[in-house]
Amino acid sequence: MTSHLISLWDFNKEELRHYIDRALLLKKEVVEGIRHQQLTGKTIGMIFEKPSTRTRVSFEAAMYAMGGQAIYLSGKDTQLARNEPLKDMARVMSRYVDGLVVRTFGQAIVDELAAYASVPVINALTDLFHPCQILSDIMTILEVKDRPLDELKIAWVGDGNNMANTWIQAAARLDFELILACPDGYEPDAAILAAAQQAAGKPITVMRDPRKAVQDADVVNCDVWASMGQEDEQEKRLNNFQPYQVNSTLLSHGKPDLTVLHCLPAHRDEEITDEVLEGPQCVAWDQAENKMHIHKAILEKHLLES
Ligand code: CP
Ligand code: NVA
């Protein structure tokens, strides 16, 4: 059966750990000078209907570094822009490439492509989820913290968006405590939260107070206040999210070794101050690098095992 990566919810703890542990090993092997060529002869198609720097380039670089090829298709340059049905696109692309990496708006678009594709479909961000990003973020946390994941308390401060929804699923599947501080009206998806809370072994809590959220946390995550597709809400959100800025005052309420994550792109002095983003507690640049290593592990698994 074709194995897709649509949402972290479809995987158990061991399967999710496999991506992370494999990425850590691949990263180490690159430093040791080992060349990876296991995707020689393989090609992916990358259908991106939203902008991307990191995800696009790290998937392409991962593919080339393992001997494969990538074809980038911006949404507006395909017949999808002229309403070719998704089910036709999925079946046609499956005749040309060995996998599809898709960044788009509705989760239903990725679900439909996966339903009709006979090659793996990998979710490179939707309005609802960003699964590949959270895997590389957890990889980064493990590198920095040197403690088992289930002993860590992870905080999220800001919008209950695609990243927050995916963190919630990761917490339930990988068994760590998660505390989210979101403004009123900007909570994560209620159904995703309820399902995760029911399945989780550790608390997943949504609260208002960012200071309380970071108090005993080992890691704090942040992201833009207005995600791609929400540009017309930018002004309103700038006001509503002001108390949720990750700045030195907020960090002073946390542990001295509180690690700051930002998936980037960052809007300096909105969701995070320049001082914190450039400061010693922030690991955003390692996160960005680790996307490439996680993408290698994902491509290897889905392209070779499907
Ligand atoms: N973090 C992330 O997904 O970045 P891009 O939007 O640049 O791909
Ligand atoms: N929540 C952000 C993540 C960007 C990587 C967005 O969807 O724009």
Side-chain angles (χ1 to χ4, degrees):
M1 210 179 89
T2 311
S3 127
H4 306 293
L5 201 180
I6 300 300
S7 128
L8 296 187
W9 203 239
D10 300 332
F11 298 90
N12 64 29
K13 185 176 185 170
E14 289 65 40
E15 289 166 333
L16 294 180
R17 274 309 297 232
H18 167 84
Y19 294 116
I20 297 165
D21 294 339
R22 183 71 186 145
L24 287 163
L25 181 64
L26 289 167
K27 182 175 181 177
K28 185 168 146 282
E29 287 181 350
V30 170
V31 174
E32 290 166 356
I34 295 173
R35 277 173 62 88
H36 300 115
Q37 290 294 302
Q38 52 272 59
L39 296 184
T40 300
K42 300 280 184 191
T43 304
I44 53 167
M46 301 179 49
I47 303 169
F48 274 48
E49 298 196 289
K50 287 180 177 179
S52 171
T53 299
R54 280 146 289 270
T55 308
R56 173 189 174 173
V57 177
S58 58
F59 261 113
E60 290 188 18
M63 211 49 207
Y64 294 130
M66 293 196 296
Q69 305 283 326
I71 300 169
Y72 178 81
L73 296 156
S74 94
K76 63 178 180 351
D77 294 332
T78 71
Q79 296 288 5
L80 285 178
R82 295 174 65 245
N83 295 325
E84 181 168 20
L86 290 166
K87 60 184 181 183
D88 295 0
M89 180 77 172
R91 286 174 293 178
V92 169
M93 292 293 288
S94 297
R95 302 287 177 113
Y96 302 141
V97 298
D98 302 289
L100 290 170
V101 176
V102 182
R103 170 170 285 201
T104 187
F105 293 87
Q107 182 71 15
I109 295 172
V110 180
D111 290 342
E112 188 171 343
L113 286 169
Y116 286 91
S118 55
V119 297
V121 173
I122 294 161
N123 180 353
L125 182 145
T126 63
D127 292 342
L128 201 60
F129 296 126
H130 198 0
C132 303
Q133 178 74 46
I134 273 53
L135 290 175
S136 50
D137 292 352
I138 294 172
M139 171 184 174
T140 309
I141 291 169
L142 290 174
E143 286 180 327
V144 178
K145 287 304 188 192
D146 200 25
R147 261 165 55 209
L149 196 54
D150 59 8
E151 287 180 16
L152 297 175
K153 211 181 254 195
I154 297 183
W156 173 269
V157 171
D159 191 18
N161 61 15
N162 44 7
M163 288 282 297
N165 291 333
T166 314
W167 269 109
I168 287 169
Q169 295 189 325
R173 289 291 188 245
L174 287 163
D175 200 28
F176 57 83
E177 182 168 353
L178 181 68
I179 310 134
L180 302 104
C182 310
D184 191 8
Y186 296 98
E187 295 84 2
D189 183 279
I192 290 167
L193 178 64
Q197 283 172 328
Q198 201 176 13
K202 298 255 163 56
I204 302 174
T205 317
V206 179
M207 57 174 69
R208 292 274 171 260
D209 186 351
R211 293 181 176 187
K212 210 169 149 205
V214 300
Q215 218 165 39
D216 305 313
D218 300 292
V219 175
V220 59
N221 278 281
C222 54
D223 185 14
V224 290
W225 289 338
S227 286
M228 289 179 276
Q230 297 173 328
E231 288 76 12
D232 54 351
E233 294 180 34
Q234 175 75 14
E235 283 309 306
K236 188 175 99 186
R237 283 170 176 259
L238 276 183
N239 286 326
N240 295 345
F241 281 85
Q242 215 60 56
Y244 292 80
Q245 185 184 68
V246 175
N247 52 33
S248 54
T249 308
L250 183 68
L251 295 196
S252 72
H253 291 268
K255 295 180 186 174
D257 66 345
L258 176 66
T259 298
V260 179
L261 267 74
H262 193 309
C263 63
L264 304 175
H267 291 179
R268 280 172 169 78
D269 298 325
E270 290 183 20
E271 76 275 0
I272 189 166
T273 56
D274 182 61
E275 181 190 16
V276 171
L277 186 68
E278 301 290 352
Q281 286 170 261
C282 183
V283 294
W285 321 111
D286 295 322
Q287 279 177 267
E289 176 184 337
N290 286 339
K291 285 172 71 71
M292 182 176 66
H293 303 296
I294 275 287
H295 294 163
K296 284 183 180 175
I298 290 169
L299 290 165
E300 187 187 62
K301 178 163 176 50
H302 289 265
L303 267 51
L304 296 181
E305 290 181 16
S306 275

